[in-house]
Amino acid sequence: MGKRIAIIGAGAVGGYAGAHLVRAGEDVTFVDMWPEHVEAMRRDGLRITHLRDVPEFSVPVRALHITDLQGVAKERPFDIAFLCVKAYDTAWASTMVRQYLAPGGYCVSLQNCMNEETIASVVGWGRTLGAIASSITVELMTPGHVHRNSGKGGAAHTVFRVGEVHGRITDRAREVTALLAQADSALTTTNLWGERWSKLVVNAMSNGISASTGLISREVLLDDGLRQFTARLGAEAIRTGQALGYALEEVFHMDPELIARAGEGDPAARRAYDEQRIAEAGKPGGGAHRPSMGQDMVKGRRTEIEFLNGFIVERAKAVGIATPANAALTGIVKRVERGELQPDPRHIRELRLN
């Protein structure tokens, strides 16, 4: 018998990856908290579209409301559970799925932020893997419809990076890599924590800016002041990651050291950073998407700001690094989220940071 797979949180990333697994013939059960989305999947299946180069497709899927999951107790348990929920839902989602895991089953964090420690506190380190979705730019447009604001990454950019928390290459890490390769390019890494922190830097530089300003990525990149602030955010996050001992990977296809120096005011690094990011905005489809936290703000959902920029601020304190830009952005996003402010670029432009 093949592996039984659960997708806990069938939103943008979970829906995208899971639909490709179903298309490849895998045994997949989707579990989601949005009733209309579950009903749409049950009725019409999951529809996947791309901005360019990839034909759309739809697949019939098995979708459960979280209130239906208890019925799995009468079935063969799950071998692999992909956790694709927001960071703030990780603890309860891990607890919920734990009792439906096979004796040798395990969880894979296919999420933003750094959630492996939270998952391991529930299911154990030996049953915890991580998977990064790099520059995937997907969005749950309407119930049952996931859209990717690009084509496939393919050979030009490896999208999925799968790793064990201890850094060794294992058969199960290779297995998860092969599964995710059904959706797009994938590799097995010995550097999960470096990959994870590098993705955290990417999100810290883009998500909160979109949420607080209401702008899409291209509009941020073409604004000199906002673009420089993204470098400042990145510099603080990169220096924190380096101090914590992580071996960072590329960030936005750049050496993280260049971004750090740009954010710290080095003229040559700033020119190189600006050139790369402006060129990115000018590519077909480049920057034409709204980062996930910007999507959450538009939809009135809770953001992950405390698990992204706020998390960086928290970890930086432990190693004696100042992170005023990340702290300021965290505060602004919280105020916009509470309705005390409306999204506006002025929130960032009017900051006065020493």
Side-chain angles (χ1 to χ4, degrees):
M1 292 184 290
K3 296 293 178 71
R4 289 207 70 202
I5 299 168
I7 305 287
I8 309 300
V13 173
Y16 184 84
H20 282 84
L21 294 182
V22 172
R23 196 184 191 195
E26 302 293 343
D27 180 354
V28 180
T29 298
F30 295 85
V31 183
D32 199 74
M33 298 80 74
W34 185 14
E36 290 83 0
H37 182 41
V38 172
E39 291 303 316
M41 287 190 287
R42 286 176 167 178
R43 183 181 63 250
D44 304 318
L46 255 177
R47 177 182 171 220
I48 305 297
T49 60
H50 293 74
L51 178 66
R52 61 177 187 273
D53 305 331
V54 183
E56 73 170 75
F57 70 90
S58 296
V59 289
V61 300
R62 184 193 190 201
L64 301 180
H65 299 284
I66 56 173
T67 53
D68 297 327
L69 184 59
Q70 47 82 28
V72 173
K74 301 175 183 178
E75 306 171 2
R76 187 162 64 92
F78 296 122
D79 300 292
I80 305 171
F82 287 94
L83 294 179
C84 305
V85 297
K86 294 292 186 180
Y88 48 75
D89 286 328
T90 301
W92 72 258
S94 301
T95 302
M96 180 180 70
V97 77
R98 176 183 58 185
Q99 59 191 311
Y100 303 111
L101 287 177
Y106 54 88
C107 292
V108 181
S109 171
L110 185 57
Q111 304 165 274
N112 284 333
C113 312
M114 299 183 76
N115 300 301
E116 285 82 0
E117 185 173 355
T118 300
I119 296 168
S121 71
V122 176
V123 303
W125 282 109
R127 306 178 83 182
T128 303
L129 281 81
I132 291 88
S134 173
S135 300
I136 194 168
T137 63
V138 288
E139 181 176 357
L140 182 60
M141 303 294 290
T142 57
H145 176 205
V146 175
H147 179 71
R148 187 169 178 185
N149 291 290
S150 67
K152 293 287 186 81
H157 172 71
T158 303
V159 173
F160 297 105
R161 296 100 187 275
V162 180
E164 294 273 11
V165 297
H166 48 60
R168 297 188 297 276
I169 302 294
T170 62
D171 289 341
R172 68 180 188 177
R174 291 192 183 97
E175 178 179 42
V176 173
T177 302
L179 288 170
L180 293 176
Q182 306 284 358
D184 207 333
S185 49
L187 60 79
T188 310
T189 181
T190 59
N191 185 30
L192 173 65
W193 298 111
E195 290 274 14
R196 185 61 87 190
W197 192 273
S198 300
K199 178 64 185 290
L200 186 73
V201 175
V202 169
N203 286 327
M205 293 172 65
S206 56
N207 272 278
I209 290 284
S210 176
S212 62
T213 64
L215 302 179
I216 64 172
S217 296
R218 176 183 289 138
E219 292 168 330
V220 172
L221 295 179
L222 295 179
D223 183 293
D224 291 345
L226 298 180
R227 186 178 62 253
Q228 183 53 37
F229 189 71
T230 67
R232 179 79 180 268
L233 292 167
E236 294 176 359
I238 288 164
R239 294 306 186 210
T240 300
Q242 290 170 338
L244 290 168
Y246 297 123
L248 301 186
E249 304 285 345
E250 283 190 343
V251 173
F252 291 117
H253 306 293
M254 287 179 279
D255 184 333
E257 186 62 29
L258 184 146
I259 297 174
R261 294 201 311 271
E264 292 163 350
D266 179 270
R270 183 175 294 184
R271 285 193 298 271
Y273 176 80
D274 286 345
E275 181 179 341
Q276 171 83 0
R277 307 245 49 208
I278 292 171
E280 179 184 332
K283 294 178 181 177
H289 66 285
R290 192 179 302 276
S292 59
M293 193 181 295
Q295 297 172 30
D296 291 337
M297 195 67 82
V298 168
K299 296 173 182 177
R301 297 181 56 178
R302 180 182 173 185
T303 74
E304 294 179 304
I305 192 67
E306 294 162 273
F307 298 87
L308 289 173
N309 302 82
F311 181 81
I312 290 166
V313 172
E314 178 186 322
R315 290 300 173 95
K317 287 179 182 177
V319 290
I321 292 178
T323 52
N326 281 275
L329 182 62
T330 301
I332 292 168
V333 171
K334 285 182 177 179
R335 293 187 67 192
V336 174
E337 191 174 3
R338 290 194 297 264
E340 297 172 10
L341 299 172
Q342 293 301 308
D344 195 312
R346 289 181 300 176
H347 302 323
I348 306 302
R349 292 178 183 142
E350 295 175 359
L351 283 175
R352 297 292 182 265
L353 297 174
N354 295 325

